[in-house]
Amino acid sequence: MVNVGIIGFGTVGTGTARILIENGDVIEEKTGIRLNLLGIVDRDIERDRGIDIPHGVLTREVSDVLDNPDIDVVVELIGGIQPAKDFILRALNNGKHVVTANKALLATEGGEIFETAARNSVSVGFEAAVAGGIPIIKVLKEGLVANKVLSIYGIINGTSNFILTKMTESGMDFSDALSEAQVLGYAEANPALDIEGVDTAHKLAIMASLSFGIPLSYDKIHIEGITTLTPQDIEFAGELGYKIKLLAIAKSVNGEVELRVHPTMIPESYLISKVDGVLNAVYVVGDAVGETLYYGRGAGDMPTGSAVVSDIVDIARDGTVSSGMEYIGKRRDLKVKAMGDIESMYYFRFTALDRPGVLSRISGILGDYNISIAAVIQKGRQVGAAVPLVVLTHRARERDVRAALQEIDRLDVVADRTAFIRVEGEEAP
Ligand code: NDP
Ligand code: HSE
C-alpha cells in the first residue's frame, strides 16, 4: 500500500482524488498496488466538489500532509511559485516523493527541486505538467530514449487552442472564448499565462530539456501569445488554406537549438491543424523513429488527474528511485539560437493605400532584404483608401523580415503597422 497526500483541491486536485477513489480497484488489479488517499489539504474544505471523501482526509493544515510520517507521496496541485516551492522542498527533505503538475515552477526553479530530490534519494514526477493527459514525458524519457530528437512541434496550451478554435469556427469573441475556457477549468489561475504564450513556454522548456539534454532554458525562449491575432487574420489564413495555432517549436539545428512559441499558420491538410478545442498534440521527430504524433486532452480535471495518478503508480511500483536529474541535467549546454537568426516563411498583412505603384514600393523593400514573395492578394478595392494587402513569402531570415517591415511601415502609403505571422509547411515552388 502507498499512502498519498494531495495539496490543492481545485480542478486537478479534484480529478486526481476522484481517480484515486473511483479507480482504486482497477489500478490495484493492474499493478497489485493499493493507492490510499490519506490527506487532502485546501483552504476551503467545506465546498462540495462532487466526491465522497472519507472522514478525516480533508484538512486545512499543510503539515498534516508534509510532516505526516505515514505519507509516501505528496502531490502538489496548488500551482504558482510560492508557497508551492517551499511545500515541495519540505516534502522532499522529509524523504517523500513528489508529484506535481506545476510547469511554471519546474520550468523556472526546477534545478533546485531536482537537486533536492536527488540529495534525498526520492522522485519528482511531472507527467501532468506538459500536455495534460498525453503521456509525453514518458514518451520523451522512455519511448524515444533511443533517438536523437531532431524537432518538436506542439499545441500544448488547451486554453489558447480552445479560444482559437472558437474564434475560427464560430466567430466567437476572444474574451467570451476565454471566459468559457475558465469556466471549464482549463485556464491557469492567471489566464495571462495561457494567452500570452508563457504556459506554452514553460512546457516547452521542460520538453526541450528532456529531449536535447540541455538545462531548463525558459528564459531563452522567444514567446508571443495569441492576444494580437485578429479575426481578419484568422479569416485570411482560412482563405489561403491555413489554420492559425499557437505552436511550441524546438529544433536541433547544426549544434544549436531553436526554442520559440508563437502563433503559426499551418496548412489545413496537416494532422496537427485538425487538433481543435482543448485537445493538444505533440509532433516529435527522432533520428531513428522518424515522425511521431501524440494527441489527447491537454487540460481539465480528469485528463490531468490521469497523468498525476500515472506518476504515483510509477513511483509506487518502481524499485529504483528516479529524481528526474538524469533527464533534466546539465549534460549539454547547446546554444539557443537568437530569434533574428531563425528562418521561416511569413504571412504579412499590410494596410496599404489602394493606388498604383504601392505594391512595387513594398516589394522593392522586401527584395532589398532578400525576402522573396510567394503570393500576393489584395483584399477588396477602395481606390485611394487603405485596404489589406496580404503577402506570403518564401523562406526568409527573421532579422531581415523585421528590418524590412520597419522600413515598409514608415512608407506614406502604409496606414497601419503590418501584421505578420510565421508560416510552416512546404515551401511554394
Ligand atoms: P485550481 O486553482 O483549480 O486549484 C488550486 C487549489 O489549491 C485551489 O482550491 C486553491 O484554493 C488551493 N490553494 C492555493 N494555495 C493554497 C495554499 N497555500 N494552501 C492550501 N490550498 C491552496 O488550480 P488547478 O487545479 O487548475 O491547477 C493546479 C496546478 O495544476 C497548477 O500548477 C496548474 O498549472 C496545473 N495544471 C492545471 C491544469 C488544468 O487543466 N487546470 C492542467 C495541467 C496542469 P483557492 O481557490 O482558495 O486559491
Ligand atoms: N492552462 C493550461 C492549458 C492547463 O490551458 O493548457 C494545462 O496545462
Side-chain angles (χ1 to χ4, degrees):
M1 180 152 76
V2 168
N3 289 326
V4 178
I6 296 175
I7 309 175
F9 199 26
T11 303
V12 183
T14 304
T16 302
R18 184 185 297 283
I19 293 169
L20 288 172
I21 291 169
E22 295 180 359
N23 288 4
D25 293 343
V26 171
I27 294 167
E28 188 171 359
E29 264 171 44
K30 289 186 189 176
T31 65
I33 299 162
R34 187 80 212 167
L35 300 178
N36 182 32
L37 183 53
L38 217 57
I40 302 177
V41 184
D42 202 280
R43 287 194 274 249
D44 178 356
I45 57 171
E46 306 298 334
R47 190 161 19 126
D48 180 8
R49 320 228 179 198
I51 327 173
D52 281 335
I53 301 295
H55 182 71
V57 168
L58 281 166
T59 172
R60 290 190 187 84
E61 275 304 317
V62 75
S63 57
D64 289 348
V65 163
L66 289 180
D67 304 322
N68 182 340
D70 293 332
I71 287 187
D72 307 294
V73 182
V74 170
V75 182
E76 181 279 307
L77 296 172
I78 62 174
I81 305 301
Q82 285 293 10
K85 181 179 172 187
D86 283 350
F87 291 167
I88 288 178
L89 293 177
R90 193 160 129 200
L92 296 171
N93 284 322
N94 282 346
K96 299 181 189 313
H97 303 287
V98 167
V99 173
T100 178
N102 195 334
K103 56 267 172 162
L105 178 59
L106 291 182
T108 55
E109 313 256 351
E112 188 181 345
I113 289 170
F114 292 113
E115 273 160 27
T116 307
R119 222 178 23 252
N120 289 285
S121 303
V122 286
S123 304
V124 178
F126 50 96
E127 184 63 72
V130 182
I134 305 175
I136 190 67
I137 299 299
K138 206 169 239 254
V139 164
L140 296 174
K141 276 194 326 196
E142 297 174 20
L144 298 186
V145 72
N147 288 259
K148 285 184 194 135
V149 173
L150 304 178
S151 58
I152 301 176
Y153 293 79
I155 295 173
I156 48 176
N157 183 266
T159 302
S160 300
N161 205 40
F162 181 85
I163 293 170
L164 289 177
T165 304
K166 290 282 178 190
M167 288 174 76
T168 306
E169 286 182 355
S170 53
M172 192 186 259
D173 175 69
F174 185 100
S175 56
D176 289 346
L178 172 58
S179 304
E180 203 175 319
Q182 287 178 291
V183 169
L184 291 166
Y186 304 152
E188 296 302 302
N190 171 9
L193 297 180
D194 296 293
I195 60 179
E196 300 289 358
V198 175
D199 176 74
T200 303
H202 288 148
K203 294 164 177 166
L204 181 64
I206 294 170
M207 288 200 295
S209 192
L210 287 172
S211 304
F212 304 128
I214 56 174
L216 288 158
S217 305
Y218 166 72
D219 52 355
K220 296 186 182 146
I221 299 177
H222 174 87
I223 308 173
E224 292 169 33
I226 59 169
T227 51
T228 55
L229 284 177
T230 64
Q232 199 178 31
D233 291 320
I234 293 174
E235 187 190 324
F236 291 167
E239 287 176 23
L240 291 163
Y242 290 90
K243 284 264 198 77
I244 301 180
K245 295 288 181 189
L246 182 65
L247 275 199
I249 300 177
K251 288 188 202 176
S252 163
V253 188
N254 300 330
E256 293 185 346
V257 286
E258 277 180 29
L259 298 177
R260 47 195 169 102
V261 171
H262 50 72
T264 310
M265 277 171 45
I266 317 170
E268 265 169 358
S269 56
Y270 281 27
L271 276 178
I272 202 162
S273 291
K274 302 182 198 309
V275 175
D276 285 331
V278 72
L279 285 152
N280 280 195
V282 187
Y283 169 82
V284 186
V285 184
D287 65 342
V289 72
E291 299 171 40
T292 62
L293 182 64
Y294 310 90
Y295 171 77
R297 297 185 87 77
D301 53 356
M302 297 299 273
T304 314
S306 157
V308 168
V309 175
S310 81
D311 272 343
I312 301 173
V313 170
D314 270 357
I315 288 170
R317 72 170 153 196
D318 197 343
T320 59
V321 172
S322 146
S323 70
M325 275 301 278
E326 63 272 42
Y327 304 110
I328 299 196
K330 290 189 171 62
R331 288 169 288 150
R332 301 159 78 213
D333 214 351
L334 296 181
K335 184 170 172 244
V336 178
K337 207 170 188 172
M339 196 57 191
D341 291 334
I342 71 129
E343 285 192 357
S344 176
M345 297 176 291
Y346 292 84
Y347 156 101
F348 301 140
R349 178 175 45 79
F350 300 106
T351 308
L353 294 190
D354 187 4
R355 77 159 75 128
V358 171
L359 179 60
S360 73
R361 290 179 71 187
I362 290 176
S363 61
I365 295 174
L366 293 176
D368 290 345
Y369 285 94
N370 281 321
I371 301 164
S372 143
I373 294 177
V376 182
I377 306 162
Q378 179 179 315
K379 304 299 296 184
R381 277 234 69 188
Q382 262 186 295
V383 180
V387 289
L389 179 72
V390 170
V391 167
L392 287 180
T393 75
H394 290 289
R395 291 188 82 73
R397 207 161 56 132
E398 175 101 2
R399 178 169 296 115
D400 296 331
V401 164
R402 287 184 180 270
L405 293 188
Q406 233 175 27
E407 206 170 304
I408 289 168
D409 284 353
R410 282 199 296 264
L411 293 176
D412 55 0
V413 292
V414 171
D416 205 352
R417 197 166 170 186
T418 300
F420 78 96
I421 302 172
R422 297 170 194 89
V423 179
E424 287 289 329
E426 302 303 319
E427 194 163 3

